[in-house]
Amino acid sequence: MLNFEYQNPTKILFGKGQIAKISNEIPSDARLMILYGCGSVIANGTMDIVKKALAGRKITEFGGIEPNPDYDTLMQAVAIAKKEKITYMLAVGGGSVIDAAKFISAATFWELGDPWEILKNQGKGIRMVIPFGCILTLPATGSEMNHHAVISRKTRQIALPTASGSQGNAGAVSIHSSIESEKLAFSSEKVFPQFAVLDPVVTFSLPKSQIANGIADAFGHVMEQYLTYPVNANLQDRFAESILKTLIEDGIKSYHEPEDYDSRANLMWCATMALNGLIGAGVPQDWSTHAIAHELTALFGLAHAQTLAIVLPAALLVRRAEKKEKLLQYADRIWNIHDADPEKAIEQAISKTTELFESLGLATRLSRYGITAAQLPEVSAKLLKHGMTGIGERGSVTLEVCEEILHTAL
Ligand code: NZQ
Ligand code: ZN
């Protein structure tokens, strides 16, 4: 097992009715701002429960945080947080709203120039933050109990004026503009939520497609930390395997029976445990699937889990030699595959992974979203721009390997 340090300060309030207790977690003199998304928490009644629990407090509200939260939207919240001298925030929503809280929390006190630098520096330089708690409404990202956030930014790129001379209209200029999207992550110990309420009942209003996304995202998080190479971290391996198996059993049950409390509760806890640092302590971590997936979201607008369902099986196929030992363990312990030929066992395990995503309505091919080989150089250019040229648990996922993965996923 590798050396590790592990600390997770987020307090969890798990189960039915726990939102009623949030007032105990928020300082009584807090200047409080509630953050939420595009209306689901109002439509499903969660916001009413929250407001009842906080009756008598003065609250500033900021809604309209979109999926894949956008920098410009969040900077509006930062301006309000500064103006209202906000001292505590409550994020009510999925990973996008909780990630937004992390960014707003850090950007409000950012003193090193453009707050986009927080993303460019991957969180380095964050000193002061607004403390916050959250109420999770979508089991998927683990953001409710971790210190990571992913933020998107659309910027208009304007090419310099160029003379278009030779056809007799010398002196005329053409100005080209295009919208460029970025999706970058940052991490900082300062942005762990102070508390997170996980009430499975508030997730009953999720459409099936979001449950599928949640299962695929949590599955992807476990695989990034589990499916690398063995370091005799037996407990972490078995933690990871228990999450994968529970996702396959309870996740799928919850997908088909949306109001079954126990399966939803198990799915919710799996998603949190998949990315709260525990299973990643003392083991090598990959994260190249996520790196490629984020570029696909930025370029083509696919949801986070849709991109994972495409990239993960292709990445396992391309990298099966370097991941051989863990792939065989995965085949045996997760899918009960014991083919005498190891190559066949690995192929069957990867096919099972693909079938799992497809059974949840998640396409596993780029072409199913109309993305063609001609568009793949754009993905490579983005990966290069973001320095993703030697990623994965061994740094062996070069641009060429990324390209091979993308071509395999076509
Ligand atoms: O915006 P509203 O109206 O609230 O609707 C949301 C949104 O349309 C809806 N929703 C949420 N809870 C609901 C609900 N609809 C009905 N009933 C409910 N109870 O679901 C839609 C998707 O929400 P979103 O928050 O975007 O989804 P998710 O939780 O999957 O978060 C995705 C974001 O998290 C990032 C992703 O890249 C993406 O930007 N990630 C964050 C990570 C982290 N912080 O550690 C790790 C992940 O790998 C991921 O990258
Ligand atoms: Zn993810």
Side-chain angles (χ1 to χ4, degrees), residues 243-255:
I243 297 173
L244 294 177
K245 289 200 82 118
T246 311
L247 283 170
I248 293 167
E249 290 168 18
D250 286 282
I252 289 180
K253 184 161 191 227
S254 189
Y255 175 75

Side-chain angles (χ1 to χ4, degrees), residues 36-42 44 46 64-69 92-99 102 136-144 146-152 183 185-186 201-207 210 213-214 217 221 275 287 290 294 297 303-305 308:
Y36 62 98
C38 298
S40 71
V41 298
I42 294 172
N44 73 3
T46 305
I65 295 168
E66 55 283 271
N68 304 310
V92 187
S96 292
V97 177
I98 301 171
D99 283 4
K102 293 174 181 176
L136 179 69
T137 64
L138 197 174
T141 62
S143 186
E144 64 279 7
N146 72 34
H147 60 305
H148 313 298
V150 188
I151 306 297
S152 298
K183 184 171 183 178
F186 78 92
V201 177
V202 307
T203 74
F204 286 174
S205 56
L206 281 164
Q210 290 296 353
N213 285 351
D217 196 16
H221 294 161
L275 194 50
W287 297 107
H290 268 69
H294 285 334
T297 296
H304 176 58
L308 294 180

Side-chain angles (χ1 to χ4, degrees), residues 158-206:
I158 301 177
L160 288 175
T162 52
S164 54
S166 63
Q167 301 301 315
N169 57 347
V173 294
S174 62
I175 298 175
H176 302 287
S177 78
S178 61
I179 300 287
E180 196 189 344
S181 291
E182 303 274 14
K183 184 171 183 178
L184 297 178
F186 78 92
S187 305
S188 166
E189 302 286 331
K190 307 260 183 201
V191 299
F192 273 105
Q194 290 196 334
F195 70 89
V197 181
L198 276 61
D199 178 347
V201 177
V202 307
T203 74
F204 286 174
S205 56
L206 281 164

Side-chain angles (χ1 to χ4, degrees), residues 71 75 102-126 151 184-188 191:
Y71 176 79
M75 287 309 291
K102 293 174 181 176
F103 178 76
I104 297 162
S105 161
T108 302
F109 293 109
W110 182 253
E111 287 172 337
L112 306 176
D114 180 0
W116 187 245
E117 294 294 321
I118 295 174
L119 280 304
K120 285 193 174 166
N121 293 340
Q122 297 169 342
K124 284 182 216 81
I126 296 174
I151 306 297
L184 297 178
F186 78 92
S187 305
S188 166
V191 299

